[in-house]
Amino acid sequence: MTPQTDRPPVEAALALPARSGLDGERAAGRVCVWGGEALTIDTAVLLDEQRDGGAAWFPRACRRCMAQRAHQALVAHVPMCERCRDEARPDCALGEELRHLVAAHTPVRYCASCARQIGPGEEFERHLTQAPSGTGGAAHYTHRACPPRRSR
């Protein structure tokens, strides 16, 4: 694979795995390059064309893994970047792109206890409720730190 120093900064920050270490499904983009979840045209996040020994390959990821990787990269990047830490001049291209990836691929969830949005990296629990008729139901989410929602 191309040395990491030659890769675009976002790809290096996301820690895209080397093609040689992937199984055929991941290398072909049929499943998430990180998590291994099956992908469809609607669920896949296309990553840029990669080069491995002169051959092109086109990895893809699921939205959950992309949001997690971008968030992890952002958390690692910001403390080391003077421009990202300075709110008066937020002109870091890498920080801006990572923030965009987190926002674009993180599902919007709200805590059923405190009504605040559950942000990337915050721990939460998913709760399933059954409809009275037994058909269907709903899911709600709570921050792990919030008191549990009382059932009616």
Side-chain angles (χ1 to χ4, degrees):
M1 180 152 204
T2 307
Q4 190 151 347
T5 55
D6 294 339
R7 292 165 63 196
V10 172
E11 293 171 14
L14 293 175
L16 191 61
R19 182 179 183 205
S20 59
L22 299 176
D23 60 33
E25 294 290 299
R26 288 182 181 181
R30 288 187 283 274
V31 299
C32 176
V33 72
W34 290 298
E37 294 85 358
L39 300 171
T40 66
I41 290 174
D42 294 331
T43 64
V45 176
L46 304 176
L47 302 169
D48 290 336
E49 175 184 338
Q50 304 296 308
R51 291 276 183 199
D52 186 6
W57 68 293
F58 300 88
R60 300 187 316 163
C62 68
R63 293 181 190 281
R64 181 180 55 80
C65 286
M66 177 56 88
Q68 286 176 342
R69 287 290 175 144
H71 181 258
Q72 290 168 352
L74 187 61
V75 167
H77 170 76
V78 169
M80 298 183 302
C81 179
E82 186 177 329
R83 288 182 283 171
C84 285
R85 288 191 319 262
D86 184 359
E87 293 178 19
R89 42 180 278 238
D91 59 346
C92 173
L94 176 58
E96 185 177 328
E97 181 62 22
L98 290 171
R99 283 183 192 89
H100 168 75
L101 288 172
V102 170
H105 300 296
T106 300
V108 178
R109 296 182 178 113
Y110 293 92
C111 178
S113 292
C114 69
R116 285 187 312 109
Q117 184 173 342
I118 298 172
E122 291 185 300
E123 292 187 13
F124 67 92
E125 294 180 6
R126 182 175 187 233
H127 308 277
L128 298 175
T129 58
Q130 189 70 30
S133 65
T135 59
H140 66 272
Y141 306 90
T142 58
H143 289 105
R144 288 227 169 128
C146 287
R149 184 177 169 193
R150 290 186 290 173
S151 56
R152 296 177 190 186

